[in-house]
Amino acid sequence: MRFSSVLLSLLIGSASAEEYLIRFKSPDGFQFFMNSAKDHTKNFKEFFHNKISHTFSFGSFRGITVDISQDVVEKIRNNPLVADLVPNIQFKAFDDVLGVQELQQNYHGDNLDDEDGFNPFKVKVQGEAPRHLARLSRRAPLPYEFDDELRYEESFNYYYYKWHKGRNINAYIIDTGIYKEHKDFCGRAIFGRDFTGEGPGDRNGHGTHVAGIVGSSNFGVAKKVNLIEVKALNNRGQGNLTTVISAVEFAVNHCKSSGKKGCVANLSLGAVRNSVINQAIKAAHEAGLIIVVAAGNSNINACWNSPASAPEAITVGAFDDRTDTIAKFSNWGPCVDIFASGVKVKSLSAFPPHKPIAFSGTSMASPSVTGLVAILLDKGVEPENIKAKLVELATHDLLQRRTLFFKPGTPNRIAFNGMEREDDEYDDAVYPIVDLESLVQELQNYQPPPLEVNNKDGKFDIINFKDDSPLPMGTIDLTKRKILSPGEEN
Ligand SMILES: *[C@@H]1O[C@H](CO)[C@@H](O)[C@H](O)[C@H]1NC(C)=O
Ligand SMILES: *[C@@H]1O[C@H](CO)[C@@H](O)[C@H](O)[C@H]1NC(C)=O
């Protein structure tokens, strides 16, 4: 169902587009192409005069956005200098998926901003921290009571490196803009560039919320990072291939000229898999910009989306830190690198009275990782080692295994910042209980059915499946209330 609706939107997008993005195989190829003859009267440079709306040049990426008719498209398509020729498709923000929740309580975390004063330890603590921060700095689950949602509200700490808070790192928020005047940004959010024509500022709310998770003082992971507003999506959360690649280009070039220690960009947007955006991510990566992207909110394989499928991107899925399960909406699969809290994540509101607000989505998970990348860059991890470092630090195998059923190739990895602390375990906590009976029922009703489900004294062996997509996952032991991997003993 989901897949067909994705295809449908692609068809609508391409039918109405007259703007195309052409990517050239090499910098030289671009020049050769422009000087080559379109026909016996003119070369392409003359023919495209006034038709080119954008020229891209960053790293190895060379391209143009140009207004052309179908017959010219057909003529150019097979030119050996042309790598890609695609319509200027629409992108959209991975919107909040569960509805907005405005929070009544006011946050009054520690005063985080002075790092002076003697402290023999390298660790700083934010009390009354929001859950996504608390979870990033511990491996154990956080307790939650569905019957009393406020029970643990103010009881969590966020531990972070006192001397590595992202100072001298630029985080490019490629999104709907940022309400930079919010006092929680402490002046660290600055205008970069607007590609939507709306001008600076956030008229949607998405970008401000994201930026708040990356680096605001009460909701942010990296409390000293520079947040750069790069507006590629408008007030409806929409952009297109040109605005998004322009934003990536801006981030690459701005980063290079800023003399900062490191740069990270966060994209919370997506479209169907697209080689041009994936190549742009590759070129940006080669130029030293770390790109963190949201996996998407369609409960499909993230490899079907761009930029989530770009191998050089760090692709972040959402998990529900109340139950330690993959969020129902999150995309999954081998293109996801890591999971972070993405359900009811609290951050800043772009709109008066600027009360904190909770959003859900992979867009809320990826900025936690963006903030963590800023911290690792600040600690001196080399850009090419960042992804491996995230994976090394991650908490492995803690997401409830049942949520990995039917999600083949999905890594069981939760982002973790490396703070080993044991002092806020919750002995009396009510941890979520795995509902194994409903999982077994789900498996038995699954279409097409698994090849074989052996039921031996309450142990369900999932042997294999008739199609390739679901995952053969081992044994569900109802008596011991465990799920065992293939080959694993009780
Ligand atoms: C892409 O977005 C820009 C900025 O909003 C707009 O000017 C342009 O018309 C858009 N192009 C298409 C094909 O949607
Ligand atoms: C980071 O990316 C996520 C998902 O791609 C997006 O929702 C969020 O707005 C982005 N944040 C920044 C700061 O760019």
Side-chain angles (χ1 to χ4, degrees):
M1 287 300 115
R2 297 255 181 207
F3 192 39
S4 56
S5 69
V6 170
L7 285 177
L8 185 63
S9 59
L10 176 66
L11 291 177
I12 292 168
S14 54
S16 59
E18 292 185 319
E19 263 181 350
Y20 282 80
L21 199 148
I22 305 175
R23 182 176 69 88
F24 298 95
K25 285 186 181 155
S26 69
D28 288 348
F30 172 55
Q31 293 308 331
F32 278 128
F33 178 86
M34 295 304 270
N35 292 324
S36 67
K38 184 206 172 254
D39 50 41
H40 56 274
T41 60
K42 34 175 127 45
N43 63 22
F44 277 105
K45 194 187 285 170
E46 289 157 332
F47 177 70
F48 282 164
H49 183 63
N50 284 340
K51 294 193 173 78
I52 296 179
S53 56
H54 280 270
T55 304
F56 304 100
S57 174
F58 60 100
S60 60
F61 193 99
R62 294 291 179 286
I64 53 176
T65 301
V66 61
D67 233 327
I68 40 178
S69 59
Q70 200 59 39
D71 54 317
V72 180
V73 169
E74 292 315 318
K75 206 172 150 91
I76 298 173
R77 191 179 295 284
N78 294 320
N79 187 302
L81 301 171
V82 169
D84 292 296
L85 173 62
V86 294
N88 189 11
I89 56 165
Q90 301 289 320
F91 272 77
K92 61 181 193 318
F94 287 134
D95 265 335
D96 169 47
V97 289
L98 297 182
V100 171
Q101 190 185 40
E102 215 179 271
L103 304 165
Q104 293 315 313
Q105 70 274 31
N106 284 314
Y107 270 83
H108 41 89
D110 287 358
N111 218 335
L112 303 160
D113 269 349
D114 56 323
E115 63 186 338
D116 305 315
F118 178 73
N119 181 338
F121 301 105
K122 293 183 177 148
V123 175
K124 212 162 167 178
V125 185
Q126 172 184 358
E128 298 176 23
R131 290 180 74 90
H132 65 281
L133 295 184
R135 188 54 196 269
L136 190 69
S137 64
R138 63 214 297 279
R139 295 197 183 278
L142 291 172
Y144 190 83
E145 275 215 31
F146 283 88
D147 295 337
D148 178 9
E149 298 194 359
L150 297 180
R151 171 163 171 202
Y152 293 102
E153 193 60 40
E154 294 183 344
S155 45
F156 300 127
N157 293 330
Y158 170 47
Y159 301 100
Y160 56 100
Y161 298 100
K162 186 174 182 190
W163 306 112
H164 301 288
K165 299 192 280 194
R167 191 192 293 278
N168 278 321
I169 307 295
N170 283 350
Y172 298 88
I173 309 303
I174 300 178
D175 214 284
T176 60
I178 305 178
Y179 173 66
K180 299 175 292 300
E181 298 76 14
H182 200 299
K183 61 180 177 359
D184 219 50
F185 288 127
C186 306
R188 282 178 292 108
I190 60 165
F191 178 63
R193 190 69 70 82
D194 167 41
F195 295 101
T196 67
E198 278 181 2
D202 182 6
R203 297 173 203 188
N204 174 285
H206 190 265
T208 301
H209 199 268
V210 167
I213 299 168
V214 175
S216 68
S217 52
N218 280 301
F219 299 91
V221 172
K223 311 236 179 244
K224 288 287 182 186
V225 72
N226 304 301
L227 298 158
I228 320 285
E229 172 183 36
V230 188
K231 226 173 133 168
L233 305 177
N234 63 17
N235 60 350
R236 295 190 307 276
Q238 290 168 345
N240 54 48
L241 199 52
T242 301
T243 63
V244 170
I245 294 182
S246 300
V248 172
E249 174 180 50
F250 170 81
V252 169
N253 294 334
H254 186 273
C255 171
K256 220 192 249 171
S257 63
S258 69
K260 293 292 178 197
K261 199 162 144 190
C263 300
V264 53
N266 174 64
L267 280 81
S268 302
L269 44 85
V272 292
R273 189 177 180 125
N274 174 292
S275 65
V276 172
I277 189 78
N278 284 10
Q279 287 297 327
I281 300 296
K282 181 167 189 275
H285 174 81
E286 286 165 1
L289 181 70
I290 312 275
I291 304 223
V292 180
V293 307
N297 297 337
S298 313
N299 185 19
I300 57 170
N301 189 329
C303 300
W304 294 351
N305 274 4
S306 279
S309 58
E312 298 79 9
I314 294 167
T315 300
V316 184
F319 85 105
D320 186 340
D321 65 23
R322 303 172 303 174
T323 53
D324 275 17
T325 54
I326 295 176
K328 289 190 181 74
F329 53 80
S330 179
N331 288 355
W332 39 266
C335 290
V336 173
D337 294 299
I338 203 160
F339 287 87
S341 296
V343 175
K344 294 195 175 179
V345 177
K346 290 163 197 169
S347 183
L348 307 183
S349 164
F351 304 108
H354 304 293
K355 273 191 185 300
I357 202 166
F359 281 159
S360 296
T362 53
S363 288
M364 284 63 242
S366 69
S368 276
V369 173
T370 303
L372 180 52
V373 169
I375 285 170
L376 295 176
L377 287 169
D378 191 9
K379 280 174 69 70
V381 178
E382 294 296 328
E384 62 269 26
N385 298 332
I386 287 283
K387 197 194 271 198
K389 188 71 190 174
L390 285 172
V391 169
E392 180 198 319
L393 286 172
T395 303
H396 296 258
D397 220 21
L398 204 70
L399 288 167
Q400 294 194 31
R401 288 220 191 107
R402 80 185 154 98
T403 67
L404 295 165
F405 274 92
F406 311 124
K407 296 180 171 69
T410 307
N412 192 334
R413 265 180 226 142
I414 299 175
F416 175 61
N417 71 355
M419 293 286 161
E420 300 286 356
R421 304 287 299 209
E422 304 293 339
D423 64 346
D424 62 347
E425 297 277 331
Y426 294 83
D427 292 336
D428 62 337
V430 181
Y431 291 109
I433 296 162
V434 187
D435 182 1
L436 292 179
E437 279 77 10
S438 67
L439 174 60
V440 168
Q441 208 165 36
E442 210 178 313
L443 279 166
Q444 288 174 328
N445 295 334
Y446 188 76
Q447 292 300 329
L451 200 57
E452 206 177 338
V453 179
N454 285 340
N455 179 3
K456 293 181 296 204
D457 315 323
K459 281 170 72 173
F460 289 78
D461 282 327
I462 316 302
I463 308 296
N464 213 332
F465 288 87
K466 279 182 181 160
D467 65 7
D468 285 340
S469 50
L471 188 66
M473 276 291 292
T475 301
I476 302 170
D477 187 336
L478 285 183
T479 57
K480 298 218 166 96
R481 309 211 60 75
K482 283 166 93 175
I483 300 175
L484 305 167
S485 297
E488 190 182 351
E489 296 298 323
N490 287 338

